[in-house]
Amino acid sequence: MASRGVLVTCLLTCIATIAIGCQTSSQSSGEVRYLIGMSQANLVEPWRVQMNQEIKSESQQYTEMKVLFEDAAQSSEKQVKDVEKLLAQGIDLLMISPNEVEALKPIVNRAAEKIPVIVLDRDDPGYNYSLYIGPDNYAIGQQAGQFVVSLLGKQGGNVIEIQGFSDSPPAVGRSKGFQEVLAEHDNIHIVDTIIADWMRDRAEDKVKEVITRYPKVDVIFAHNDAMAQGASIAAAKLRIQGIQFVGIDGLSGANGGIQLVRMGVLTGTFNYPTGGKVAVQYAMKLLDHEKGLPRRVTLSSERITRSNFQDGSTP
C-alpha cells in the first residue's frame, strides 16, 4: 500500500510539475519584449484615427509587442513633450506622424540617436529616421488634377482648391501636383484657394465666405474627404447646385470617402493609405535587426468613383 501511495504522490508531483512548466512557458511566450511609442499629431482627423486603429489591430498579432499611444491634439509643443514622455518610459522604437515637421525635427533626431524611428505621412530631409512610410502626395495631386481635367472636359471651368495646413508636406505636395496639371489647360482656372486645416467644419465656413464671389464654380477639390464634405454642405445650405466635389483619403465607414462617393456626395476620391499596418510590420523587422530594409516605403493610391461600385470592383 505504501508503494502505491508513493507512486500516486510521484504521479501527482509530475502532473503538477508539467502544469507549472506549461504555465511558465505560456507566460514567457506572451512576455513583452518590445515597447513601442506612437505619437499622433491629432485624433480629430478621421484618417489619423484610422492610422491608430490599424497600428493597434496589427500590433495585436505580435504578443511580444506593446504600443503606447499619445495624442498631440494639433499642438507641436505637446507632441514634443509626448515624445519626451515616451522616451522616458523606455520605448524601444518610436513611431511618429508629426504635427509640424520643422518643430518636431529636434526631438525626432534626438530619439533617432538612441532607438529606431519610423516617421509616417509627413517627411522632411532633415529627419534622421530609420524609415519613412507614406504615399507620394505630389503624385496624388497630379492624379487629382488629371481627374478634374477629365470631369471638366473641353469646355473647361472654374475650380476652388481647399488645402490643409498650407506649409505641411502633404498639402504642399498635393497642391503642387494638382496645380501643375491644371496649368497645362488654359480653359481651367483655379479661382480661389482656401486653407481649412484639414477640418470639415472649417471648410464649410470658408466655402460659405468665398463661393458667392464667383458666378460659377464647377469643381471643388479638397485635400481630404472631410473638407470636401464640408464644402458640399456649404453649397447645399446656400442652394448652389452643379458643383462636383473631389477629395482624398478614401476611408471606409460612415462619412468616409468611400461612402460619400457611393452616396453621390463626392464625385471621386483617392485612397490615401495610413501606413499603420505596414509600420507595425517594419517595426518588428527593425527591432529584430533584419538586414536590407529600405529607408522609404511609398504607398500607392488609387482613384475611387461610382464606377468602382458599378463594375463590382468595390474598394
Side-chain angles (χ1 to χ4, degrees):
M1 295 291 290
S3 61
R4 289 182 62 187
V6 172
L7 181 61
V8 171
T9 302
C10 290
L11 182 61
L12 291 173
T13 301
C14 289
I15 293 171
T17 302
I18 292 170
I20 292 170
C22 291
Q23 183 178 7
T24 304
S25 174
S26 174
Q27 288 175 340
S28 62
S29 66
E31 287 180 355
V32 175
R33 292 173 56 207
Y34 300 128
L35 190 61
I36 293 176
M38 172 58 197
S39 174
Q40 185 60 270
N42 69 73
L43 289 176
V44 179
E45 298 172 56
W47 184 82
R48 296 187 176 280
V49 174
Q50 178 70 27
M51 182 193 291
N52 276 20
Q53 289 174 345
E54 287 185 18
I55 291 171
K56 181 178 180 181
S57 177
E58 184 65 17
S59 67
Q60 290 172 347
Q61 307 301 313
Y62 303 91
T63 56
E64 68 271 44
M65 174 189 293
K66 181 178 180 181
V67 182
L68 304 177
F69 292 87
E70 293 291 341
D71 170 21
Q74 293 186 310
S75 168
S76 296
E77 182 179 354
K78 183 179 184 304
Q79 193 165 28
V80 170
K81 293 179 180 178
D82 287 346
V83 174
E84 291 174 342
K85 176 183 175 182
L86 290 168
L87 292 172
Q89 290 177 288
I91 59 172
D92 300 294
L93 180 145
L94 173 68
M95 296 180 188
I96 182 169
S97 188
N99 184 57
E100 295 174 290
V101 291
E102 192 65 31
L104 272 296
K105 188 187 299 182
I107 190 65
V108 167
N109 290 342
R110 195 196 322 164
E113 293 175 358
K114 303 176 182 178
I115 57 175
V117 174
I118 297 177
V119 175
L120 292 145
D121 178 42
R122 294 176 176 174
D123 190 13
D124 187 275
Y127 277 10
N128 186 28
Y129 48 68
S130 306
L131 177 65
Y132 168 77
I133 299 174
D136 185 334
N137 285 286
Y138 174 74
I140 293 174
Q142 288 183 311
Q143 288 178 282
Q146 291 159 2
F147 181 50
V148 168
V149 169
S150 71
L151 291 177
L152 293 175
K154 294 181 179 180
Q155 72 275 15
N158 294 330
V159 177
I160 289 178
E161 179 185 5
I162 307 178
Q163 299 181 358
F165 294 122
S166 59
D167 58 348
S168 70
V172 171
R174 293 174 193 185
S175 188
K176 183 179 180 182
F178 180 73
Q179 292 188 19
E180 283 183 3
V181 170
L182 265 58
E184 298 174 358
H185 301 269
D186 295 336
N187 59 348
I188 298 177
H189 309 282
I190 299 177
V191 296
D192 211 331
T193 299
I194 297 170
I195 309 298
D197 303 339
W198 309 106
M199 300 290 104
R200 187 189 70 179
D201 293 346
R202 195 159 299 173
E204 179 185 342
D205 293 341
K206 292 283 188 178
V207 169
K208 283 180 182 177
E209 289 177 11
V210 306
I211 198 168
T212 54
R213 300 175 188 170
Y214 309 104
K216 182 173 174 55
V217 174
D218 301 286
V219 175
I220 294 182
F221 164 60
H223 286 197
N224 70 3
D225 293 333
M227 295 189 296
Q229 183 185 22
S232 72
I233 293 171
K237 288 183 177 179
L238 293 172
R239 298 183 179 181
I240 298 174
Q241 298 180 342
I243 301 175
Q244 299 188 78
F245 302 92
V246 177
I248 295 174
D249 279 351
L251 297 178
S252 58
N255 288 323
I258 293 174
Q259 182 65 16
L260 293 173
V261 171
R262 189 191 297 272
M263 294 168 57
V265 176
L266 303 185
T267 304
T269 185
F270 295 82
N271 72 315
Y272 188 72
T274 72
K277 179 178 180 179
V278 178
V280 173
Q281 295 169 349
Y282 271 99
M284 284 301 302
K285 294 176 187 291
L286 285 166
L287 291 168
D288 286 339
H289 305 289
E290 187 171 318
K291 302 297 183 182
L293 297 178
R295 195 164 185 265
R296 295 182 65 86
V297 174
T298 302
L299 305 173
S300 61
S301 177
E302 296 179 356
R303 186 172 74 190
I304 301 170
T305 65
R306 295 290 289 274
S307 64
N308 291 109
F309 308 103
Q310 293 166 0
D311 62 17
S313 57
T314 307

